Each structure stands twice: as structure tokens, then as C-alpha cells.
């Protein structure tokens, strides 16, 4: 890390839609970029506005590219391409119809009704929690690819407590959630501990721990009697007991509120607590932090323990919220999506919540899109990737729409591997 | 490092750094564990007869070997190394590497014969793990070479997995369309370069954080290949034309005169020959590529320039090098190698493309880059190590001595131990991941 690039990162990057308030306790200042000094806001508090506009434009651009793909996947539209030069109207009407159908079912399927919003919130909750874990590690300068493995171990712990223990309702839930968090914390902590003690690169260890959790631990335990659903030949555990389930409120469950609470706690932890100050200091420049008397090793270990705890909490959402049993696909791709969510949220808690909601909506809407408009649901994944790509490249978005007022242009900490 | 400090007269005081002591005790600990394991193998083996086949392709009769002898020889060698390490007679550098290799090999052979011992009555014979090692390592080596090229130039490439997927898809499509597997390699190269170009343009022109970018490109490649796959109609006839390639056969059968005769000569080498050289075109390209990349990076002027823009772009710019142009070249060349690695998954082994078929191998290749300290040869060795572990786990699965799921864990566990215990802190190229903006 050179001095030039680390300096701007000491301030928290303003996230999409986030009002960054000066924090008197930790000596934060409103972010000022060195590269574009003429971008001083005219009014205080308006510095985030261009970033929000850029983010919205990026989403819009991704939808435009998605629309092209929708048109190209529509049979009528493709068929009319063969005579597009004689009757261009045909192509545009078919394509327009396909695009309208797809996007309207995307929107109505994800946020079109109270029910749909509930499904979106339930889908977003684990993404938010796991994304917060990646965010926390990211702020310490650690790249946590291991959310997937931490989720799996968290799910194993939470699920086991959920279907074997016998406790009164509220207590059982607390015990199962705590177990999930402990499971995730252990798995994340291994990577943090190895990083701190031996310098083993967290990217390698978390990747390997992912494989260990999914291809070994999960499969091994599911083949054991203690984890087997009685009378089932499939590698599947019993469903958690009712007493361990999150309270259901309509079609959402209490876990959604737990995710919001987790975001507030993580925000406080990063921005207001002493540990958060150390975390950001180590993330910005470990050598400087060490010189200032901080224990970089301790921060690394605790950051990964925290990241694992949050991923473990995410794991409880589907199991204790929707009543999923443990199976080989128990974590889905939440752990990997969480990385993208955290990056789209620019490693800030509020940004992660918003990104998690967007991804939840896209994933729910993508299914609805396939069901009602016949558009392949893989398109939802392409859209997600395009949105993040465009959000991460504000210069490209501003170049395409010829926007005059440039934002801060900062993405998540532009730093390299480091150590 | 031991430092000799001469004092007055005859006396010499040896001052050892804490790091050197740590290295010694780590070595003693690891060797002791290996010795204990070998001791346990020795006591656990009841029927020491092990049958083995080194060249089963040629219909040779199985040979037998006494497992006790192998284990005891390994144990003695390990104890010798342990004693030397405890007495601090193994200095840092090549003697450490040699001792670790001896102990590692002794442990590996002991573990193997222990697995194959006590199998009388069954037909399990120990087979040579080398051909499988090379086979599994092919995509990993290519991916690792791509990673080394990009990152030596200062561009982080996490997207190897995405390059694999995209290349695997296009290799399959092109090979199916052309009706010949070799053309698939070209499709793979083009697709790998395409993702490389996206990486380069977003990293260098739009200054996107490169770690973010890599993750996004993987997501994009996954989404795009799934989307394109869903667009191929289920009609078997169309599918056969678009996604049903032939796979590459072993080169010695390919009928290329010069290559065939060289290959025949090489496969004549006992034990190693038939297993390492009786491979597909991709494996041969892999051997060549390792040498080419190592030569390019360390022996050519271009390589020196690439390394200098990866270490200190400002200095490179000051002496007149075009930083971003060199980075573009390195990233695109890396993309070509990653594309060859991706082609392995379709035309190199499985045939038709299926969703997410690279199955995390891009991440393993990334791990090999870091384990190999951004050096193409060491990274390739790390990839081979991973291939060996994968092969062993699939071979030993049926013997029942170690539960299959533990064997599945073996490659990953071994990598963690290797990284935490042996590699430790690694230093990436100084400017890796930092975009260069001319001021």
C-alpha cells in the first residue's frame, strides 16, 4: 500500500444513499477526494447526491442491457429480426412487448404487492446479514470469501440445536440462534486466527474452509444418524422444532427485524466503537496502526470472528425462519451473493442493507419473471452482475450519460492484496 | 538466519533471529508428527503385502511390495531428519526444502502403503497417481499462469473462475460447430481473452477496485453462460450442433508424425513416461506454457518491464515505459492461458457444457498463485500438489481405510496446512491492485 492511495480510505466512503455524518468521536471528516478537488459540495450534506444519482443511473443502464437480452431471448422478436429492415416496427413491437412483460412481472413479483414485498424481505434478510459479515472484514482490510462456509457451519449448529434440544419456545430460539452464530464465528475465527498467527492469506484459507464446510463437514454429518431425518433415505435432517422458529408475522418472520438490528449493531461497531476505530485504522494501513500501538493480529482475528458470527446469523434465517432442514444445498449461493451485496453496498452497513434488498427483489422478481413472462431466470443473475459492474464504475456511467456533476468516484477501498 | 559475530580471540557467538528459531521448531513439530504417523502405520499394518501396478495400460502383471519395509525405511529417514532439525543442523534454504521433501515423500508413501495393506482377497492394487495428478492439474496450472501474468503486472485477477466458465462454454460451442475438438481451444482462448479485456478496461480505464471487479466478472460469466445455455434449444439435433463437442484424445494417437514419435519415445520411459506423456494436447500445451511464461517473465525484456510496472509503476513511467499498455498485454495474454484452462472442462474432459462446471477450480488456481508466491513455476507446483491430493482422494476412496468424506477434505486441509505451516506470509507485487493514473 502506498501512502497516496491509503489516505482517502481512512475516511468512510460515502455509500449510495447514505448521509455520512461527521463523527466527532473518531475524528472523521466529510470525505474529500484528492483527485477531484473541485467537487466540493455547494451545500453541506449534498456530497452524496451525485453518488446516489450515479447508482440509480447504473441500475438503469443495467436494465437497458438486460432489456436487449430479453429482446434477444424472445422468439418472436428474434424471428422478426430476419426482416427487420423491411418492417422494423414488427421487431420493436415484439421486443417492446417482451421487455414490458418481463420487467413488469419482475417489479410486480418482487414489490408489486404486500405479499411480494414480504417474500422479498425474507429473501433479503440472510443476504443482508452475510453481506454485513463481508463488510465488517472488508473494513479491516480482509477479503472474506468464506461467508459460504461460515453459513454452512452456522446452519449445522443452528439446525442441530433446533431439532434436537427440548426447550421452551423463546429460549429455544435464542439458543438455536446463538448456536448458529457460534458455529459461524468458529469457522470465520479459524481463518482470522491463522492470518494473525501464521500470516496465511485469508483468501486462500477462506476458500479452502468453504470447501471443507460444504464438501466435507456437511456431507459427513448428514450421513450420520444424529443428523438424519428418521425414515428418509435422502441426506436430510429433521426440520427444526416449532419452539425454535422465528415468530411469523404474516408472511415475514422475526428474522427480518433481526437483520435490521444486526445492521444497526454493525454500523455502531464500525463507526462509533473503539474497536471499530482500530478496525478501520488497521484496514487503512496496518503498519501505521501497529506503530500506533494497536494489535493488528487481535483486530484480524476479531474481525473474522465477527464476520463469521454474522454469516452464522444469516444461516439461521432460512432454517429457523422458513423451517428449512439441513441438506446439501442448505446455504444456496447466499455466501457468494453476500460478497457482491457487500461490494455493491460499498462496504457500509446502510449500503449493504439497500443492496441486500435490491438483490432480494431481483432474485424473487427473477423467479416471477420466468413464471409469468417466460424470460429465463438466469437473466436475473446477469442483471445483478451488470448492476454491480456499473455501480463500481461511476466513470463509465457518467461517460455514457454525459453527466456533468461527478460524484466522489470512490468505490470500496481501492487497495490490493496487501497483508 | 544465523549470523556469526566474531568476537575477540577464538570465541564465536552465534546469534539467531527469532524467525529462524520459529522455522526450526515448526520443522521439528511437523517432522515429529510425520514420525508418529509412520510409527502408527507400522503397528497398524497386519498383512504387509501390497500389490501395485505401475503400468496397467500395458497389461503387466501386478507386483508386490512389503508395506512394513516401506514404512520402516520412511520412519528411519524421518527420524534422521527430525534429529538433524532438533540439533539445528538444517540451515534455511535448500537443505530445509530437501529435508521437508524427504519427510513429505516418506509420509506420503507410508500413507499409501498403509491404505493398500490388509487388502488380501480384494483386487485393489496400488496404481500410479501421476497421470491423474497431471490431468486434474491442467486447468489449475493454466489458471495459475494467468494469475501470475496479470498480478506480476499489477492487476489482481480474481476472475479466473469466470474466465474458466466463459471459455469452457465457448470452447464447447466452437468445437461443436467446427466438428473438431482442437478448434474448441481457439474458442476458449478467445473467450478467456474477452473476460481479460473486460478486466483490463474496467480496472485501468474506469479504475474499478480490482477485487470487486473480479468477483463481479465471475458473477457475470456465471450468469451469461447460464443464460446462453438456457437459450440453446432442448432439441437434441440443435444441441448436438451447438453444445456437444468431441473431446481431445491422447496425443500419441493423434497421428501428428513428429509429435507422435517424440511422444512414443517419451512414453517409453518406465513409470513416469506413459503416465505423464500419454496425455491430451492440453497437457502438452501446459508443459510448454509453464516454461514459456517463466521465460517471458524472468528472462525477457518484456518480462522485466511487466514486473517493473507491477512493482513500481511510477518509476517505470519515469523511465518511459507505457504502464497501462504493458498491463493490457499481460492481462490479455493471461486471459489466453485462462481460456485454455477453461477449455479443459469441455473439450478437454467432459464434452458438453453444463452450468457452473468449473466448480470452483478458478479459486483453487487463485490459491495456487498465492501459494506459489506469484512465481509461475512454484504456482504450477502448487497446482500439481493440488492435483495429486485430488487424485489420491479419489483413488483411496474405495479402500475404506479412511472414510471417503475425510479424503474429500484432504486437498483443502493439505492446502490450509501448507499455507499456514510452510508458506506463511507472502509478499505480492507491490503495486498489485493499484490502478496507475498518470499525473
Amino acid at each position: 500500500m502506498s501512502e497516496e492511495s491509503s489516505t482517502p480510505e481512512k475516511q468512510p466512503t460515502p455509500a449510495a444513499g447514505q448521509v455520512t455524518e461527521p463523527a466527532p468521536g473518531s475524528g472523521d471528516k466529510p470525505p474529500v477526494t484528492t483527485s477531484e478537488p473541485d467537487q466540493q459540495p455547494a451545500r453541506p450534506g449534498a456530497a452524496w447526491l451525485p453518488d446516489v444519482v450515479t447508482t440509480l443511473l447504473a441500475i438503469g443502464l443495467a436494465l437497458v442491457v438486460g432489456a436487449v437480452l430479453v429482446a434477444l431471448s424472445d422468439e418472436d422478436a428474434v424471428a422478426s429480426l430476419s426482416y427487420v429492415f423491411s418492417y422494423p416496427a414488427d421487431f420493436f413491437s415484439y421486443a417492446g412487448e417482451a421487455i414490458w412483460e418481463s420487467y413488469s412481472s419482475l417489479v410486480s413479483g418482487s414489490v408489486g404487492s404486500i405479499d411480494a414485498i414480504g417474500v422479498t424481505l425474507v429473501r433479503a434478510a440472510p443476504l443482508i446479514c452475510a453481506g454485513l459479515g463481508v463488510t465488517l472484514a472488508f473494513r479491516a482490510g480482509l477479503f472474506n470469501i468464506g461467508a459460504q462456509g461460515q453459513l454452512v457451519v452456522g446452519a449445522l449448529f443452528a439446525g442441530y440445536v433446533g431439532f434436537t434440544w427440548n426447550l421452551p419456545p423463546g429460549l429455544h430460539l435464542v439458543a438455536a440462534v446463538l448456536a448458529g452464530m457460534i458455529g459461524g464465528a468458529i469457522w470465520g475465527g479459524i481463518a482470522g486466527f491463522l492470518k494473525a498467527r501464521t500470516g496465511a492469506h485469508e483468501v486462500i484459507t477462506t476458500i479452502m474452509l468453504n470447501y471443507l464446510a460444504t464438501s466435507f463437514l456437511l456431507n459427513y454429518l448428514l450421513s450420520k444418524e444424529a443428523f438424519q431425518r428418521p425414515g428418509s433415505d435422502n441426506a436430510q435432517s429433521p426440520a427444526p422444532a416449532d419452539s425454535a422458529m422465528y415468530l411469523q408475522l404474516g408472511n415475514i418472520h422475526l428474522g427480518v427485524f433481526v437483520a435490521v438490528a444486526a445492521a444497526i449493531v454493525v454500523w455502531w461497531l464500525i463507526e462509533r466503537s473503539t474497536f471499530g476505530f482500530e478496525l478501520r485504522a488497521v484496514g487503512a494501513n496496518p503498519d501505521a496502526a501497529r506503530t500506533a500501538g494497536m494489535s493488528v493480529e487481535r483486530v484480524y482475528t476479531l474481525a473474522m470472528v465477527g464476520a463469521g458470527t454474522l454469516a452464522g446469523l444469516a444461516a439461521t434465517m432460512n432454517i429457523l425462519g422458513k423451517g428449512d432442514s439441513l441438506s446439501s444445498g442448505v446455504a444456496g449461493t447466499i455466501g457468494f451473493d453476500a460478497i457482491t451485496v457487500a461490494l455493491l453496498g460499498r462496504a457500509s452497513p446502510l449500503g449493504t442493507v439497500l443492496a441486500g434488498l435490491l438483490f432480494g427483489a431481483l432474485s424473487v422478481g427473477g423467479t416471477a419473471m420466468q413464471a409469468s413472462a417466460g424470460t429465463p431466470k438466469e437473466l436475473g443473475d446477469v442483471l445483478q452482475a451488470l448492476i454491480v459492474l456499473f455501480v463500481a464504475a461511476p466513470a463509465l456511467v457518467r461517460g455514457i450519460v454525459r453527466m456533468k456533476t461527478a460524484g466522489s468516484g470512490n468505490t470500496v477501498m481501492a487497495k490490493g492484496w496487501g497483508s | 538466519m544465523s549470523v556469526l559475530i566474531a568476537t575477540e580471540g577464538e570465541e564465536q557467538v552465534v546469534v539467531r533471529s527469532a524467525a529462524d528459531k520459529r522455522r526450526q521448531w515448526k520443522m521439528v513439530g511437523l517432522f515429529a508428527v510425520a514420525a508418529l504417523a509412520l510409527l502408527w502405520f507400522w503397528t497398524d499394518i497386519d498383512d504387509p503385502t501390497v500389490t501395485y501396478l505401475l503400468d496397467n495400460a500395458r497389461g503387466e502383471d501386478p507386483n508386490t511390495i512389503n508395506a512394513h519395509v516401506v514404512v520402516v525405511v520412511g520412519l528411519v529417514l524421518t527420524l534422521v531428519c527430525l534429529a538433524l532439525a532438533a540439533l539445528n543442523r538444517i540451515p534455511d534454504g535448500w537443505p530445509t526444502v530437501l529435508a521437508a521433501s524427504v519427510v513429505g515423500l516418506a509420509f506420503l508413501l507410508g500413507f499409501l502403503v498403509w491404505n493398500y495393506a490388509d487388502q488380501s482377497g480384494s483386487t485393489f492394487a496400488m496404481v500410479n497417481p501421476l497421470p491423474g495428478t497431471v490431468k486434474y492439474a491442467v486447468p489449475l496450472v493454466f489458471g495459475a499462469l494467468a494469475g501470475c501474468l496479470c498480478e506480476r503486472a499489477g492487476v489482481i485477477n480474481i476472475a479466473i473462475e469466470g474466465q474458466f466458465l466463459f471459455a469452457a462454454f465457448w470452447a464447447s460451442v466452437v468445437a461443436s460447430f467446427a466438428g473438431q475438438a482442437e478448434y474448441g481451444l481457439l474458442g476458449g482462448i478467445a473467450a478467456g481473452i474477452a473476460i481479460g479485456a473486460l478486466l483490463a478496461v474496467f480496472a485501468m480505464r474506469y479504475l474499478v477496485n480490482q477485487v470487486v471487479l473480479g468477483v463481479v466478472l465471475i458473477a457475470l460469466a456465471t450468469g451469461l453462460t447460464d443464460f446462453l445455455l438456457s437459450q440453446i434449444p432442448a432439441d437434441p439435433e440443435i444441441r448436438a450442433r451447438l453444445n456437444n463437442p468431441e473431446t481431445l484424445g491422447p496425443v500419441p494417437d493423434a497421428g501428428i508424425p513428429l509429435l507422435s514419435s517424440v511422444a512414443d519415445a517419451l512414453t517409453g520411459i518406465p513409470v513416469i513416461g506413459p503416465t505423464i506423456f500419454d496425455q491430451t494436447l492440453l497437457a502438452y500445451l501446459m508443459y510448454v506454457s509453464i516454461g514459456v511464461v517463466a521465460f517471458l517473465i524472468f528472462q525477457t525484456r518484456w518480462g522485466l518491464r511487466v514486473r517493473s510496472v507491477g512493482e513500481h509503476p511510477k518509476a517505470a513511467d519515469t523511465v518511459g515505459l507505457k504502464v497501462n499498455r504493458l498491463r493490457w498485454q499481460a492481462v490479455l495474454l493471461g486471459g489466453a492461458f485462462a481460456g485454455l484452462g477453461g477449455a479443459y472442462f469441455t473439450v478437454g474432459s467432459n464434452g458438453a457444457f453444463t452450468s457452473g462446471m468449473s466448480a470452483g477450480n478458478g479459486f483453487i488456481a487463485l490459491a495456487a498463485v498465492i501459494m506459489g508466491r506469484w512465481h509461475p513455476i512454484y504456482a504450477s507446483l502448487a497446482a500439481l500438489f493440488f492435483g495429486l491430493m485430488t487424485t489420491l482422494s479419489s483413488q483411496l476412496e474405495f479402500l475404506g481405510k479412511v472414510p471417503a468424506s475425510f479424503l474429500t477434505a484432504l486437498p483443502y486441509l493439505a492446502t490450509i496446512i501448507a499455507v499456514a505451516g510452510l508458506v506463511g506470509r507472502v509478499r505480492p507485487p507491490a503495486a498489485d491492485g493499484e490502478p496507475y493514473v498518470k499525473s
Side-chain angles (χ1 to χ4, degrees):
Chain A
M1 281 300 309
S2 72
E3 284 300 307
E4 302 86 50
S5 62
S6 65
T7 322
E9 293 153 19
K10 282 177 187 153
Q11 280 88 38
T13 328
Q18 185 195 14
V19 189
T20 318
E21 289 167 301
S26 52
D28 283 339
K29 282 177 288 225
V32 178
T33 48
T34 43
S35 55
E36 295 171 272
D38 55 334
Q39 289 309 314
Q40 292 284 355
R43 293 165 284 130
W48 50 273
L49 190 64
D51 277 342
V52 173
V53 175
T54 315
T55 304
L56 291 177
L57 281 171
I59 295 173
L61 268 179
L63 290 175
V64 170
V65 178
V68 174
L69 290 174
V70 170
L72 289 180
S73 69
D74 185 70
E75 281 179 24
D76 290 335
V78 172
S80 66
L81 263 182
S82 56
Y83 54 89
V84 70
F85 290 110
S86 20
Y87 295 103
D90 266 18
F91 170 72
F92 286 110
S93 75
Y94 283 131
E97 199 180 321
I99 292 165
W100 170 251
E101 264 182 41
S102 296
Y103 280 169
S104 60
S105 54
L106 179 78
V107 171
S108 67
S110 57
V111 291
S113 63
I114 300 286
D115 274 2
I117 291 176
V119 177
T120 296
L121 289 177
V122 167
R123 190 74 62 90
L127 287 174
I128 291 172
C129 278
L132 287 169
V134 179
T135 292
L136 190 70
F138 220 145
R139 293 301 279 271
L142 296 172
F143 194 57
N144 175 22
I145 301 189
Q148 188 75 12
Q150 293 149 18
L151 262 153
V152 167
V153 178
L156 283 171
F157 274 59
Y160 186 75
V161 170
F163 61 72
T164 51
W165 289 17
N166 259 324
L167 287 173
L171 206 59
H172 198 178
L173 172 64
V174 172
V177 170
L178 281 179
M181 289 164 76
I182 290 170
I186 292 173
W187 218 242
I190 294 174
F193 176 79
L194 290 177
K195 168 88 175 179
R197 284 300 295 269
T198 70
H201 205 290
E202 78 278 5
V203 169
I204 307 186
T205 50
T206 52
I207 289 172
M208 297 304 149
L209 285 167
N210 279 347
Y211 285 107
L212 280 179
T214 44
S215 72
F216 162 59
L217 204 56
L218 185 63
N219 285 344
Y220 178 71
L221 288 177
L222 283 178
S223 70
K224 293 281 137 192
E225 210 170 315
F227 280 81
Q228 267 290 326
R229 173 176 295 192
S232 165
D233 287 339
N234 297 337
Q236 199 181 24
S237 78
D242 285 342
S243 53
M245 295 285 285
Y246 281 116
L247 194 63
Q248 297 285 329
L249 311 152
N251 71 344
I252 66 168
H253 55 71
L254 196 65
V256 173
F257 299 98
V258 172
V260 174
I264 295 170
V265 169
V266 170
W267 172 83
W268 179 83
L269 195 67
I270 294 179
E271 305 292 346
R272 288 288 181 275
S273 72
T274 318
F275 173 69
F277 179 71
E278 288 185 1
L279 187 90
R280 285 178 290 139
V282 168
N285 190 335
D287 295 333
R290 186 176 281 119
T291 313
M294 297 173 194
S295 165
V296 177
E297 285 73 25
R298 183 175 146 269
V299 170
Y300 280 157
T301 313
L302 287 181
M304 285 305 294
V305 166
T309 307
L310 286 158
L313 183 63
T316 66
M317 300 285 166
N318 285 354
I319 291 182
L320 309 175
K322 298 196 296 182
D324 287 2
S325 51
L326 299 174
S327 66
S328 58
V330 68
T333 58
I334 297 172
F336 294 108
D337 293 342
I339 302 173
T340 334
V341 164
L343 298 176
L344 179 61
R346 299 191 178 187
S348 91
L350 179 62
T352 306
V353 170
L354 294 175
L357 289 173
L358 178 68
F359 269 49
L362 279 173
S363 136
V364 173
T367 317
M369 197 164 77
Q370 184 167 38
S372 65
T375 316
K377 74 169 190 303
E378 291 81 7
L379 200 68
D381 304 336
V382 178
L383 277 183
Q384 285 178 2
L386 286 174
I387 288 173
V388 185
L389 190 60
F390 289 144
V391 167
L396 171 69
V397 175
R398 287 198 298 269
I400 290 176
V401 299
R402 311 233 177 273
M403 195 162 93
K404 290 263 160 52
T405 49
S408 66
N410 281 347
T411 51
V412 191
M413 309 190 261
K415 68 181 288 180
W417 285 115
S419 54
Chain B
M1 241 13 89
S2 308
V3 182
L4 284 174
I5 295 178
T7 52
E8 301 101 62
E10 304 282 295
E11 274 180 82
Q12 286 191 329
V13 185
V14 178
V15 181
R16 293 177 62 207
S17 70
D20 195 49
K21 280 184 190 147
R22 263 206 308 279
R23 180 189 61 84
Q24 187 198 350
W25 289 116
K26 225 184 246 178
M27 203 154 57
V28 170
L30 276 173
F31 290 1
V33 170
L36 283 175
L38 283 166
L39 197 63
W40 187 74
F41 292 153
W42 186 20
T43 54
D44 189 60
I45 295 170
D46 295 325
D47 169 20
T49 314
V50 169
T51 50
Y52 69 96
L53 283 168
L54 286 178
D55 195 10
N56 46 349
R58 305 198 170 182
E60 118 208 74
D61 289 330
N63 306 298
T64 55
I65 191 168
N66 188 312
H68 277 147
V69 174
V70 174
V71 172
V72 169
V73 170
L75 183 60
V76 168
L77 284 174
T78 304
L79 287 174
V80 168
C81 290
L82 178 62
L84 286 175
L87 296 169
N88 192 28
R89 291 299 160 95
I90 305 178
D92 202 0
W94 68 265
T96 301
V97 176
L98 182 70
S101 312
V102 167
V103 174
L105 203 63
F107 173 78
L108 187 66
L109 284 174
F111 177 69
L112 272 177
V113 293
W114 170 70
N115 262 285
Y116 283 96
D118 302 326
Q119 299 282 341
S120 59
S122 74
T123 54
F124 289 120
M126 195 154 85
V127 289
N128 193 343
L130 291 180
T133 301
V134 174
K135 188 172 145 274
Y136 283 119
V138 165
L140 302 178
V141 167
F142 279 122
L145 291 178
C148 287
L149 270 170
C150 293
E151 303 204 0
R152 279 283 177 173
V155 180
I156 293 180
N157 186 3
I158 292 194
I160 301 171
E161 176 82 358
Q163 292 177 314
F164 277 179
L165 270 180
F166 209 55
F169 178 83
W170 287 108
S172 168
V173 170
V174 171
S176 310
F177 205 71
Q180 206 182 336
E182 280 76 13
Y183 287 101
L185 299 183
L186 299 178
I189 290 176
I193 291 178
I195 301 282
L198 279 178
L199 177 69
V201 75
F202 278 97
M204 283 178 255
R205 178 149 164 65
Y206 298 114
L207 311 180
V208 178
N209 176 298
Q210 292 161 15
V211 174
V212 178
L213 184 55
V215 175
V216 175
L217 286 178
I218 294 173
L220 187 67
T222 312
L224 271 180
T225 48
D226 283 350
F227 175 73
L228 291 169
L229 191 65
S230 74
Q231 293 300 296
I232 295 179
D235 184 356
E237 215 168 286
I238 303 176
R239 198 164 269 269
R241 265 183 53 202
L242 288 178
N243 186 20
N244 192 16
E246 286 184 16
T247 52
L248 296 165
V251 162
D253 307 335
I256 306 165
L258 180 67
L259 209 57
S260 286
S261 59
V262 173
D264 277 347
L266 288 172
T267 47
I269 305 171
V271 186
I272 296 175
T275 58
I276 293 188
F277 295 103
D278 190 20
Q279 299 272 355
T280 64
L281 179 62
L282 266 177
Y284 287 86
L285 283 174
M286 174 188 84
Y287 303 134
V288 176
S289 302
I290 298 173
V292 166
V293 173
F295 179 79
L296 268 179
I297 291 184
F298 295 111
Q299 306 292 329
T300 64
R301 196 196 310 199
W302 181 79
L304 181 63
R305 289 175 171 179
V306 161
R307 281 182 290 143
S308 75
V309 302
E311 291 288 346
H312 204 316
K314 196 162 193 167
D317 189 16
T318 311
V319 297
L321 298 181
K322 298 263 188 289
V323 175
N324 281 338
R325 185 190 293 177
L326 281 161
R327 287 183 169 177
W328 262 96
Q329 291 165 355
V331 171
L332 292 186
L333 187 63
F337 285 111
L340 281 174
Y344 166 84
F345 294 102
T346 47
V347 296
S349 59
N350 292 329
F353 180 84
T354 52
S355 169
M357 74 187 308
S358 59
N361 274 282
F363 288 111
I364 307 288
L366 179 66
V369 172
I370 302 174
M371 251 172 103
R373 305 181 186 210
W374 289 266
H375 189 296
I377 292 174
Y378 296 147
S380 301
L381 288 176
L384 282 168
F385 166 77
F386 208 86
L388 176 67
M389 289 297 147
T390 313
T391 311
L392 287 185
S393 73
S394 64
Q395 283 182 356
L396 303 182
E397 203 176 340
F398 303 102
L399 297 173
K401 276 249 180 166
V402 184
S405 43
F406 281 105
L407 286 168
T408 327
L410 193 64
Y412 314 117
L413 208 55
T415 308
I416 292 182
I417 292 171
V419 170
L422 305 171
V423 180
R425 284 183 177 75
V426 288
R427 196 192 71 83
D432 201 5
E434 288 174 20
Y436 181 69
V437 185
K438 207 166 177 159
S439 49

